[in-house]
């Protein structure tokens, strides 16, 4: 399989090369188990995966990829509204899951995935063709339900190879993280990256400080390369004993949201490491990063474009901004890691590319004269980043409005020390409590999209056109 060459080779039989939530397997066994999955789903238009933090999720994703069937990872805690949208929108013909009794009412057959399948079926599968979707990841926009982002095997391979170069990531590494297996960070980098580079993988189930410390001090193959979102790094710093254990690591990498400069400094004081900061999106994969061979990495900078991409900064009037280290503009990207369009949404696709083919990230940035990039914020306040998760204000507002007691709803991201931003809601409603509304959203969407607080107001502030003035909502 072109995307994952290191599944075979000299270390293929190392017994615990891949560990997820305490369950270990060799690469060879992983491939056999994935082959058994591939044999069951070959020819399907797409297949969903119940993406719990378990070894079976890795097997299911690989099985789909081996069979050349686009894989759609679904957050395991998502409620029926989000789940049914993702299954329907992606055209998934089946759900792969470790437990067959999960989601019995999901409307597609549930195919069981086991970790101990003995088959040599994998040899008969070619894997995804280079330019077809290997994965379809769902991501939130400012309004409406999440959109499918098809990601090709070629884009993934180009991204992983460039990051391996930037981070000097090799088969000698032991990668450690505990990030969710349904996004770019945890799945593409955190699983496919380990398989492609041939490094060992220790997935800690949850990205807790104590689990990272345990992996760093393991007697056999202690962790060398650690991934986390900023919330993970700030929680690690709040537990200095655990943080100090990571001083033996080779490299700590932060991404998915801005790493606050004080956390960068505290992490250095406790571990001796200046974190590598990198930037990306579901639609573009990781496009900017500082490098392992650049020891004097500065906080708040995400380095240069990785080899397969180029960037530019554009002002509101469409003019190009020179790299002066001061002028802020929208970051635009093009290159081999960038997707070709949202699944079945030509209008959204057209709106996200410029007429000359650059992807509009919606992130505001500054570029130093030496080409170093700094991300300074997002153009739209309706796209919230909380704990590294991207959450559309419109999706949460629609979920609140689905409650019979809610007449109006507005959602914003409030600054939060722990999560970067926290989702908060303002509603016009009668006869319902704050807790009931939080639970209502948590049970229809993914749990992380729930508002952390709900304020009851008599009316939402609106302008003369009737549009909600979110700048006037107080948190
Ligand atoms: C609380 N819980 C509730 C609840 N209130 N459950 C149901 N209903 C309610 N009302 C429970 C949950 O079940 C869960 O329990 C727990 O609370 C979760 O708490 P949380 O506060 O929501 O999460 P927390 O543990 O604080 O998570 C922090 C975090 C997480 C950092 C671990 O945010 C995270 O994993 N972030 C990573 C996001 C990520 O990978 N993004 C990458 C996007 S890709 P229990 O029992 O399960 O704990 C990308 C590209 C790039 O951005 O550049 O990388
Ligand atoms: P997602 O689609 O979940 O991958 O989220 C992508 C968004 O995460 C980007 O558009 C940015 O807003 C944000 N992001 C990712 N990495 C960084 C970073 N290093 N610094 C600031 N923001 C980031």
């Amino acid at each position: 399989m072109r995307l994952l060459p290191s599944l075979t080779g000299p270390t293929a039989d190392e017994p615990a090369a891949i560990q997820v939530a305490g369950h270990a397997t060799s690469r060879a066994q992983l491939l056999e188990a994935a082959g058994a999955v591939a044999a069951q789903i070959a020819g399907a238009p797409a297949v969903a995966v119940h993406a719990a933090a378990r070894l079976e999720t890795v097997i299911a994703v690989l099985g789909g990829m081996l069979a050349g069937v686009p894989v759609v990872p679904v957050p395991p805690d998502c409620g029926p509204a989000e789940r049914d949208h993702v299954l329907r929108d992606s055209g998934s013909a089946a759900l792969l899951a470790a437990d067959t009794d999960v989601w019995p009412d999901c409307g597609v057959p549930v195919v069981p995935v086991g970790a101990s399948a003995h088959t040599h079926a994998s040899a008969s599968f070619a894997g995804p063709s280079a330019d077809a979707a290997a994965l379809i990841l769902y991501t939130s926009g400012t309004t409406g339900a999440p959109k499918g982002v098809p990601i090709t095997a070629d884009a993934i391979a180009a991204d992983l190879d460039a990051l391996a170069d930037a981070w000097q990531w090799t088969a000698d590494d032991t990668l450690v993280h505990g990030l969710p297996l349904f996004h770019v960070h945890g799945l593409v980098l955190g699983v496919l990256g380990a398989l492609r580079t041939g490094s060992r993988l220790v997935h800690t189930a949850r990205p807790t400080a104590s689990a990272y410390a345990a992996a760093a001090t393991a007697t056999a193959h202690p962790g060398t390369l650690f991934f986390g979102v900023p919330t993970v790094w700030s929680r690690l710093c709040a537990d200095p004993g655990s943080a100090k254990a990571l001083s033996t690591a080779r490299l700590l990498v932060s991404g998915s949201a801005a790493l606050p400069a004080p956390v960068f400094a505290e992490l250095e004081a406790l571990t001796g490491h200046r974190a590598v900061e990198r930037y990306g999106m579901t639609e573009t994969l990781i496009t900017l990063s500082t490098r392992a061979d650049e020891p004097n990495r500065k906080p708040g900078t995400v380095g240069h474009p990785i080899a397969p991409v180029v960037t530019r900064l554009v002002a509101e009037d469409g003019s190009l901004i020179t790299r002066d280290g001061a002028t802020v503009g929208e970051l635009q990207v093009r290159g081999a890691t960038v997707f070709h369009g949202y699944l079945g949404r030509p209008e959204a696709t057209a709106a996200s590319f410029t007429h000359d083919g650059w992807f509009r990230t919606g992130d505001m940035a500054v570029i130093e004269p030496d080409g170093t990039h700094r991300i300074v914020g997002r153009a739209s306040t309706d796209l919230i980043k909380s704990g590294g998760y991207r959450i559309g204000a419109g999706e949460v507002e629609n979920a609140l409005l689905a409650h019979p007691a809610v007449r109006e709803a507005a959602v914003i991201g409030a600054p939060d020390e722990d999560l970067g931003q926290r989702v908060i809601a303002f509603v016009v409603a009668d006869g319902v409590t704050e807790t009931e509304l939080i639970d209502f959203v948590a049970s229809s969407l993914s749990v992380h999209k729930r508002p952390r607080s709900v304020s009851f107001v008599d009316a939402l502030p609106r302008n003369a056109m009737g549009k909600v003035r979110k700048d006037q909502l107080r948190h």
Side-chain angles (χ1 to χ4, degrees):
M1 184 172 182
R2 214 184 72 79
L3 177 59
L4 306 164
S6 305
L7 280 174
T8 53
T11 58
D13 291 316
E14 189 182 301
I18 306 295
Q19 298 176 32
V20 183
H23 293 269
T25 187
S26 68
R27 289 164 191 286
Q29 175 60 38
L30 184 64
L31 196 59
E32 286 193 13
V37 171
Q40 293 186 75
I41 57 162
V47 67
V49 172
H50 181 262
R54 337 178 23 150
L55 187 55
E56 288 87 348
T57 298
V58 175
I59 293 166
V61 169
L62 282 186
M65 286 186 161
L66 270 181
V69 174
V71 172
V72 186
V74 187
D77 66 355
C78 80
E82 184 171 341
R83 179 199 72 196
D84 293 350
H85 163 71
V86 170
L87 291 179
R88 215 179 17 250
D89 189 75
S90 62
S92 291
L95 174 76
L96 300 174
D99 294 326
T100 42
D101 52 358
V102 76
W103 294 344
D105 56 342
C106 72
V108 295
V110 182
V111 176
V113 178
S116 54
H118 290 284
T119 162
H120 295 289
S122 59
S124 51
F125 294 102
S129 58
D131 54 358
L135 295 174
I136 303 173
L137 299 186
Y138 274 77
T139 193
S140 297
T142 51
T143 56
K147 299 189 282 285
V149 176
I151 302 177
T152 64
D154 260 7
I156 295 171
D159 206 51
L160 294 176
D161 290 351
L163 294 176
D165 175 64
W167 303 342
Q168 299 180 343
W169 183 4
T170 70
D172 292 334
D173 277 307
T174 297
L175 170 66
V176 179
H177 72 93
L179 297 167
L181 297 178
F182 44 87
H183 282 311
V184 165
H185 200 161
L187 181 62
V188 177
L189 273 57
V191 172
L192 302 182
L195 297 178
R196 185 163 176 86
T197 56
S199 70
R200 291 177 197 85
L201 169 64
V202 178
H203 188 284
T204 59
R206 298 295 297 256
T208 58
S210 56
Y212 278 32
T217 51
T219 38
H221 306 302
T224 59
L225 176 61
F226 287 75
F227 290 171
V229 297
T231 302
V232 169
W233 297 123
S234 64
R235 290 184 184 181
L236 182 78
C237 290
D239 176 356
S242 293
K244 283 178 187 152
L246 270 66
S247 55
T248 52
R250 184 178 69 76
L251 204 66
L252 313 185
V253 181
S254 180
S256 304
L259 183 68
V263 179
F264 181 102
E266 217 176 329
L267 203 52
E268 183 180 15
L270 289 166
T271 67
H273 291 289
R274 296 174 79 80
V276 159
E277 294 181 60
R278 95 295 179 286
Y279 159 88
M281 288 184 80
T282 306
E283 290 90 335
T284 64
L285 303 181
I286 307 310
T287 48
L288 294 160
S289 184
T290 56
R291 299 181 57 88
D293 58 9
E294 180 190 21
N296 206 19
R297 298 180 284 271
K298 287 201 216 99
T301 65
V302 289
H304 295 79
I306 57 162
V309 304
V310 285
T311 61
R312 68 181 189 186
L313 275 193
V314 179
E316 232 172 293
D317 64 3
S319 61
L320 289 186
I321 293 172
T322 51
R323 304 177 163 210
D324 61 5
T327 313
V328 176
E330 186 195 26
L331 181 69
Q332 299 186 352
V333 183
R334 66 184 300 167
T337 69
V338 178
F339 82 140
H340 302 301
Y342 296 104
L343 188 69
R345 285 185 173 70
E347 281 166 21
T349 300
S352 67
F353 284 92
T354 64
H355 65 279
D356 53 348
W358 292 74
F359 178 71
R360 305 170 53 122
T361 65
D363 287 306
M364 307 307 287
V366 163
I367 308 181
E368 304 289 342
D370 70 357
T372 304
H373 289 54
R374 278 189 289 124
I375 308 296
V376 297
R378 275 205 72 82
S380 169
T381 51
D382 281 340
L383 218 44
I384 300 163
K385 264 273 159 166
S386 186
Y389 284 117
R390 173 165 151 187
I391 300 166
E395 188 187 3
V396 182
E397 286 159 4
N398 287 342
L400 285 164
L401 288 166
H403 192 286
V406 177
R407 295 197 297 281
E408 295 180 52
V411 164
I412 60 172
D416 187 89
E417 280 243 330
D418 179 42
L419 298 168
Q421 283 183 299
R422 113 184 143 265
V423 176
I424 64 171
F426 297 81
V427 297
V428 181
D430 290 310
V432 66
T433 65
E434 177 179 24
T435 309
E436 282 166 351
L437 285 181
I438 292 172
D439 290 346
F440 184 73
V441 176
S443 61
S444 56
L445 306 178
S446 299
V447 168
H448 65 260
K449 294 180 180 172
R450 72 190 186 279
R452 304 297 167 126
S453 69
V454 179
S455 301
F456 293 86
V457 293
D458 294 336
L460 294 175
R462 293 181 186 273
N463 67 14
M465 311 291 292
K467 196 172 174 323
V468 176
R469 293 280 313 269
K470 290 196 172 180
D471 57 323
Q472 291 186 0
L473 294 171
R474 303 245 174 272
H475 38 83

